[in-house]
Amino acid sequence: MVPTSNSNDGVLPHDLLHDILLRLPARPLCRFRAVCRPWRALLSDPRFADAHAARHPDPHVAVVVSGRLNSFGRELVDVYLVDASSGNVVKRVCTGRCERPNEVSTHGGMVLLVDNNQMLRVLDQASGAVPLVPDYKDHPNNCSFTLGRTASTGEYKALRIRTDKDIRGERQVICCSVLTLGRGHLARWRNVPNPPQTVITQRRLVAVVDGVAYFVLSMPYMHDRSGSDWIAAFDLEAEQWQPDLIGGPPETENDPLRITLAELRGSLVVAQDNHRAATLDLWFLLAGSGDGKVGQQHWSKQYTVTMPYHGRPWRCWGDSAEPVVVLDDGRIVFWV
């Protein structure tokens, strides 16, 4: 507890100090944790972090960077917390060895990492702690992990999908399981049904929106007879796959894999890359069909964005962009 004083000895009452620090940006607060133990305790308190986030709604983006080596030549992974509105780095946390940096999932200020020993770690950006997820041992190979938050209870859950190749060399889902975070030693993986079709688990083809995780189907299962149903959805609260597949935007039917799934302002978004024109079409899945039918969802192309590599005499096949967040002033942040 921060000491209080009635005399003019320079020690601020706890409540007054709390209110002053709440008004400051996140970047200096990270430095102020080193002032003294009481300040560190206050600034590391999750309740303070929640109050600060409510007062400073500008979103932060977690950027996971690998490539730095330790003295033994082992690759290390750093997580940078970036202020989306300014681009400034607010915090940097070294998470240690992680030879599988692509196995990363972020959601709502939390980062889920899988290291080279198949161990799960969760980074809480508010406190900077990196605790081990219980029941982490013996993850089988070819597992992917998706982190999300349930809509009603606010619990964080991790969806684990294990895939393997069949006799034709095509990848298929072997099993799915769910873990609820924050339950300490009581946390256990729970088996759930497999998706209706095989899904792709690459990060750019997965998005979590309002407690539902969306996945693009694997190529052999991409098209039904109508040629448009290619998104499967998993309800994190009910812990089950929704029975109906979701059709993608109509203009993506002939080239469904040149897309990215994202969550923008509470909507599922398909970002379609026009490789030749170097533009990106952003399709939002909205409620209501616009023809008087209540409750139906429809796709609306709300933006066509000219990307920075537009007009080049050449363009590498790997040049791509992913929408990250929409700021309060309407600007869209992309990862390019």
Side-chain angles (χ1 to χ4, degrees), residues 109-163:
M110 304 280 281
V111 181
L112 182 67
L113 295 149
V114 186
D115 70 7
N116 58 303
N117 294 321
Q118 299 285 337
M119 296 170 65
L120 292 185
R121 291 177 290 172
V122 175
L123 169 65
D124 183 347
Q125 298 176 4
S127 64
V130 188
L132 292 177
V133 174
D135 195 19
Y136 58 83
K137 296 182 179 179
D138 300 326
H139 287 305
N141 293 327
N142 302 324
C143 281
S144 68
F145 301 86
T146 301
L147 180 67
R149 195 175 190 179
T150 60
S152 62
T153 65
E155 289 182 310
Y156 282 94
K157 293 185 178 182
L159 172 63
R160 180 177 66 181
I161 300 178
R162 183 189 176 193
T163 60

Side-chain angles (χ1 to χ4, degrees), residues 229-240:
D229 293 345
W230 45 267
I231 298 176
F234 181 82
D235 189 319
L236 289 168
E237 185 164 355
E239 298 187 358
Q240 62 184 9

Side-chain angles (χ1 to χ4, degrees), residues 180-194:
T180 302
L181 306 185
R183 293 188 175 179
H185 68 281
L186 299 177
R188 293 291 183 272
W189 288 102
R190 301 178 296 278
N191 291 331
V192 297
N194 290 346

Side-chain angles (χ1 to χ4, degrees), residues 18 36 45 51 62 65 69 73 93 102 126 164 181 188 200 234 240 284 287 298 314 335:
H18 182 279
C36 60
D45 190 335
V65 180
L69 303 180
V93 179
N102 290 329
D164 204 351
L181 306 185
R188 293 291 183 272
I200 302 175
F234 181 82
Q240 62 184 9
F284 284 66
H298 73 289
W314 50 267
W335 177 261

Side-chain angles (χ1 to χ4, degrees), residues 31 34 39 60 80-81 89 112-113 126 130 132 135 144 162 170-171 191 198 211 215 220 228 246 267 275 282 290-291:
R31 299 196 302 268
W39 281 40
H60 291 160
Y80 291 84
L81 187 61
V89 175
L112 182 67
L113 295 149
V130 188
L132 292 177
D135 195 19
S144 68
R162 183 189 176 193
E170 296 175 352
R171 199 162 283 280
N191 291 331
T198 299
F215 297 81
S228 62
I246 300 174
S267 296
H275 193 79
L282 300 186
D291 57 4

Side-chain angles (χ1 to χ4, degrees), residues 273-280 304-316 319-321 336:
D273 180 15
N274 186 329
H275 193 79
R276 293 181 179 272
T279 59
L280 207 65
T304 296
V305 183
T306 301
M307 302 312 298
Y309 38 76
H310 178 78
R312 287 183 185 172
W314 50 267
R315 179 185 172 194
C316 294
D319 286 347
S320 62
V336 182

Side-chain angles (χ1 to χ4, degrees), residues 15-312:
D15 293 342
L16 179 58
L17 177 64
H18 182 279
D19 290 343
I20 292 175
L21 294 179
L22 271 184
R23 300 172 184 270
L24 300 179
R27 189 169 188 175
L29 290 181
C30 295
R31 299 196 302 268
F32 289 164
R33 293 174 62 192
V35 170
C36 60
R37 289 183 179 180
W39 281 40
R40 182 177 182 85
L42 172 61
L43 296 175
S44 300
D45 190 335
R47 292 170 296 182
F48 178 87
D50 292 340
H52 188 272
R55 191 180 185 96
H56 303 268
D58 287 343
H60 291 160
V61 178
V63 180
V64 182
V65 180
S66 63
R68 186 167 61 88
L69 303 180
N70 63 12
S71 58
F72 299 98
R74 299 286 188 176
E75 187 176 45
L76 301 177
V77 170
D78 298 316
V79 176
Y80 291 84
L81 187 61
V82 180
D83 187 298
S85 60
S86 65
N88 294 327
V89 175
V90 175
K91 183 188 300 185
R92 170 190 167 190
V93 179
C94 177
T95 63
R97 291 176 54 189
C98 188
E99 296 175 3
R100 305 174 65 208
N102 290 329
E103 296 293 350
V104 174
S105 181
T106 64
H107 186 77
M110 304 280 281
V111 181
L112 182 67
L113 295 149
V114 186
D115 70 7
N116 58 303
N117 294 321
Q118 299 285 337
M119 296 170 65
L120 292 185
R121 291 177 290 172
V122 175
L123 169 65
D124 183 347
Q125 298 176 4
S127 64
V130 188
L132 292 177
V133 174
D135 195 19
Y136 58 83
K137 296 182 179 179
D138 300 326
H139 287 305
N141 293 327
N142 302 324
C143 281
S144 68
F145 301 86
T146 301
L147 180 67
R149 195 175 190 179
T150 60
S152 62
T153 65
E155 289 182 310
Y156 282 94
K157 293 185 178 182
L159 172 63
R160 180 177 66 181
I161 300 178
R162 183 189 176 193
T163 60
D164 204 351
K165 292 184 178 179
D166 59 19
I167 57 176
R168 297 173 296 177
E170 296 175 352
R171 199 162 283 280
Q172 60 181 349
V173 175
I174 301 299
C175 61
C176 294
S177 52
V178 172
L179 175 74
T180 302
L181 306 185
R183 293 188 175 179
H185 68 281
L186 299 177
R188 293 291 183 272
W189 288 102
R190 301 178 296 278
N191 291 331
V192 297
N194 290 346
Q197 304 288 358
T198 299
V199 297
I200 302 175
T201 56
Q202 297 177 9
R203 176 189 53 79
R204 60 186 297 270
L205 297 177
V206 180
V208 179
V209 183
D210 196 23
V212 178
Y214 296 91
F215 297 81
V216 172
L217 296 186
S218 182
M219 180 59 77
Y221 309 97
M222 184 66 71
H223 299 292
D224 66 356
R225 294 179 182 178
S226 66
S228 62
D229 293 345
W230 45 267
I231 298 176
F234 181 82
D235 189 319
L236 289 168
E237 185 164 355
E239 298 187 358
Q240 62 184 9
W241 294 90
Q242 295 181 355
D244 297 328
L245 299 176
I246 300 174
E251 294 184 16
T252 64
E253 292 179 10
N254 296 326
D255 194 10
L257 285 185
R258 199 182 296 280
I259 58 97
T260 296
L261 294 189
E263 183 273 333
L264 295 178
R265 285 188 171 173
S267 296
L268 177 65
V269 172
V270 168
Q272 181 188 12
D273 180 15
N274 186 329
H275 193 79
R276 293 181 179 272
T279 59
L280 207 65
D281 293 333
L282 300 186
W283 294 83
F284 284 66
L285 185 61
L286 304 177
S289 64
D291 57 4
K293 297 180 181 180
V294 179
Q296 292 190 2
Q297 294 178 313
H298 73 289
W299 292 100
S300 172
K301 184 166 68 173
Q302 299 194 1
Y303 304 95
T304 296
V305 183
T306 301
M307 302 312 298
Y309 38 76
H310 178 78
R312 287 183 185 172

